[in-house]
Amino acid sequence: MTRKLFIKTYGCQMNVYDSERMAEALGAQGYVTTERAEEADMILLNTCHIREKAAEKVYSELGRLKPLKAANPELRIGIAGCVAQAEGEEIMRRAPVVDLVVGPQTYHRLPAMEAAMRAGARPVDTDFPEEDKFEHLPKSRASGPRARRGPTAFLTVQEGCDKFCAFCVVPYTRGAEVSRPATRLLAEARDLVKRGVREITLLGQNVNAYHGEGPDGAEWSLARLIRALAEIDGLERIRYTTSHPNDMGDDLIAAHGQVAKLMPYLHLPVQSGSDRVLKAMNRKHTAEQYLRQIEKLRAARPDLLLSGDFIVGFPGETEADFEATLDLVRAVGYGQAYSFKYSARPGTPAAERAPVPAAVADDRLQLLQALLAEQQRAAQEAMVGREVGVLFEKPGRMEGQMVGKSDHLHAVHVVAEGLQPGDLRRVRITASASHSLAGALI
Ligand code: SAH
Ligand code: SF4
Ligand code: F3S
């Protein structure tokens, strides 16, 4: 019997990867995915717990889904991801509309849970199991070696985090740091390439802490894995995210200068430019150490575009601390960056500390975002006149237009005949708009 599955994904790219795996696992159970929640027999919300707003989205979405359930008695609703992990049984109490709760480390058990749910149970599984879920995931035919897919893909190589930054829920929702064996990752990458993928983004909450077992039995670093992936014919581009400054080893920095397929874009969050705040955050590095890493990276790869994450209004942050963050941003010059107002998360150490007044945090966020937006605009404009590689992904809104991503991860529009998704071409950038570049084929 064919049933329809609608998955809505919140949060980071690792959730995007997990959603694909869950769709595959349920595919083996006879489910096909749909883009329309109204026609679904099962709705899965793959959730994020990182900030209060992210977690609250789940409950407002459940409110919107209630009428669908009234209209279709066959409909079942499941909660997956980091809210599932953090709240578990509590979700069942708070939202009677929910039929199943599954954490990020147990979704290989979804098929059995689905069967239990259809039999009338309301299963909850938020274990941190011994077994590797990726090895126990059933595969549907839709994910077989001949099934084509788009030119870009994510590949989770490492999960979890042992860093325990004082503000962050990830070590609790994703568990301890675990690296997948390199042999399996190389096989998965080769399979993706056979199915049409030309760019792979390696994922991990702390991806540069990767230390998986290599085919030779030795422990491989992320740099070693990247060098091995670069040997795969047909794989043209490699990226990785998200990194921690303390795991940015010299071999990884060197790879940026030596591995042509490793793209010149790096997301390296620092959170704050104040040593006092960094210490209170338990980041275990100073602003100066971060700036030195950036220097080394730019020496290895001069055109490297940097991205980052910032938190403003962390408990105890003074005006001087915030100024230090602005100074660091000016010193680095980001191509793009994310910034957030601190959100107290239950169970984390920082949640116990006295907050910065919301209005103060709001003002700081605005100032920081204005500076980052200005840097982003400048970095984009600096691309005009330059020649870059573009991997085309899909048709644009205008007639004859194709959209792709540059080496530096800028969206680029090109009008040209005969371009196909998956084409990797040299492009001269001709103009910069607010969130994209325009160019012409060389
Ligand atoms: N593993 C990554 C980031 C994980 S979360 C890293 O270590 O950099 C993504 C970003 O969300 C973080 O970099 C941080 O800037 C932000 N974030 C995490 N917890 C937060 C909180 N409690 N309040 C506001 N922003 C937060
Ligand atoms: Fe969270 Fe820090 Fe771990 Fe990143 S390094 S996931 S911010 S605890
Ligand atoms: Fe959110 Fe979990 Fe990712 S909390 S950011 S979905 S690891």
Side-chain angles (χ1 to χ4, degrees):
M1 179 170 46
T2 301
R3 285 196 167 117
K4 288 191 173 150
L5 170 68
F6 173 84
I7 305 190
K8 185 161 179 174
T9 307
Y10 303 82
C12 61
Q13 290 106 324
M14 303 197 60
N15 265 9
V16 176
Y17 181 83
D18 290 342
S19 289
E20 284 177 12
R21 301 288 80 73
M22 288 192 275
E24 268 175 32
L26 289 168
Q29 203 89 340
Y31 279 89
V32 294
T33 52
T34 171
E35 300 293 311
R36 298 181 54 229
E38 312 81 65
E39 62 171 30
D41 303 291
M42 179 161 179
I43 295 179
L44 260 184
L45 305 181
N46 194 10
T47 61
C48 174
H49 202 247
I50 201 80
R51 286 168 291 272
E52 193 180 353
K53 262 192 203 147
E56 280 308 316
K57 273 187 196 156
V58 179
Y59 290 99
S60 44
E61 183 66 23
L62 285 173
R64 279 192 292 274
L65 293 178
K66 234 189 219 162
L68 292 187
K69 203 156 176 183
N72 174 10
E74 282 299 297
L75 173 63
R76 296 289 180 275
I77 298 179
I79 304 293
C82 291
V83 175
Q85 190 63 44
E87 297 188 5
E89 292 279 355
E90 179 61 26
I91 298 176
M92 291 298 195
R93 277 189 287 276
R94 201 173 149 187
V97 71
V98 173
D99 301 292
L100 173 155
V101 172
V102 63
Q105 301 307 350
T106 44
Y107 62 74
H108 55 297
R109 298 175 182 162
L110 254 180
M113 292 175 75
E114 192 271 349
M117 178 184 79
R118 291 281 165 201
R122 292 176 87 206
V124 175
D125 191 343
T126 55
D127 282 357
F128 287 111
E130 279 298 307
E131 74 270 16
D132 175 356
K133 68 171 175 262
F134 296 114
E135 293 315 305
H136 290 81
L137 278 169
K139 296 246 182 249
S140 62
R141 243 180 311 150
S143 63
R146 273 184 296 276
R148 296 290 293 180
R149 46 169 302 157
T152 65
F154 292 134
L155 175 54
T156 293
V157 304
Q158 174 279 339
E159 275 202 282
C161 181
D162 297 337
K163 297 269 192 301
F164 291 92
C165 298
F167 50 81
C168 184
V169 294
V170 170
Y172 313 97
T173 62
R174 293 275 170 167
E177 213 172 287
V178 178
S179 295
R180 299 179 63 195
T183 313
R184 306 238 170 88
L185 297 171
L186 291 166
E188 196 167 326
R190 279 189 212 101
D191 175 58
L192 287 168
V193 170
K194 273 197 209 119
R195 293 161 58 194
V197 169
R198 307 196 74 189
E199 170 180 311
I200 292 181
T201 302
L202 309 176
L203 298 181
Q205 270 90 22
N206 259 294
V207 71
N208 60 345
Y210 178 83
H211 57 104
E213 189 190 334
D216 50 2
E219 193 171 278
W220 277 23
S221 65
L222 185 66
R224 184 95 191 261
L225 178 66
I226 287 170
R227 287 178 196 274
L229 286 164
E231 301 286 315
I232 298 176
D233 280 337
L235 178 61
E236 305 297 342
R237 288 172 148 190
I238 302 167
R239 305 180 188 276
Y240 62 92
T241 200
T242 295
S243 297
H244 191 288
N246 290 355
D247 294 315
M248 208 67 221
D250 285 338
D251 61 339
L252 188 54
I253 294 178
H256 276 277
Q258 293 163 350
V259 181
K261 290 180 180 179
L262 184 56
M263 291 292 104
Y265 177 97
L266 177 64
H267 185 66
L268 193 60
V270 65
Q271 316 298 351
S272 168
S274 153
D275 289 344
R276 227 177 51 82
V277 173
L278 287 170
K279 189 148 198 271
M281 286 176 164
N282 193 32
R283 290 289 291 185
K284 299 198 172 81
H285 62 77
T286 62
E288 188 53 40
Q289 284 166 334
Y290 178 79
L291 290 172
R292 265 211 301 279
Q293 296 274 31
I294 304 285
E295 244 169 57
K296 283 204 244 171
L297 280 157
R298 281 187 168 145
R301 182 81 204 227
D303 69 336
L304 186 72
L305 206 76
L306 282 151
S307 164
D309 291 341
F310 294 90
I311 295 177
V312 301
F314 186 76
E317 184 188 70
T318 64
E319 208 51 41
D321 293 323
F322 176 63
E323 286 296 331
T325 297
L326 295 179
D327 286 344
L328 179 138
V329 170
R330 287 188 199 102
V332 173
Y334 287 92
Q336 190 270 343
Y338 303 92
S339 47
F340 311 98
K341 189 163 85 161
Y342 168 72
S343 168
R345 306 307 293 130
T348 60
E352 312 290 316
R353 305 176 197 164
V356 165
V360 173
D362 284 333
D363 286 350
R364 289 179 188 166
L365 187 61
Q366 257 191 22
L367 280 172
L368 176 60
Q369 290 189 335
L371 176 60
L372 290 169
E374 175 51 32
Q375 291 193 343
Q376 176 173 351
R377 196 190 55 78
Q380 251 187 234
E381 267 172 15
M383 301 306 297
V384 176
R386 281 173 62 179
E387 187 187 317
V388 294
V390 175
L391 177 61
F392 289 96
E393 290 175 20
K394 57 181 185 225
R397 256 181 258 143
M398 275 164 52
E399 180 75 21
Q401 195 185 51
M402 284 287 286
V403 191
K405 291 279 168 58
S406 76
D407 303 335
H408 299 89
L409 212 55
H410 286 123
V412 179
H413 297 254
V414 167
V415 177
E417 262 171 50
L419 272 178
Q420 297 296 324
D423 286 350
L424 179 61
R425 304 286 291 271
R426 301 300 294 172
V427 169
R428 172 92 51 210
I429 301 300
T430 52
S432 169
S434 57
H435 289 288
S436 64
L437 298 168
L441 292 186
I442 290 173

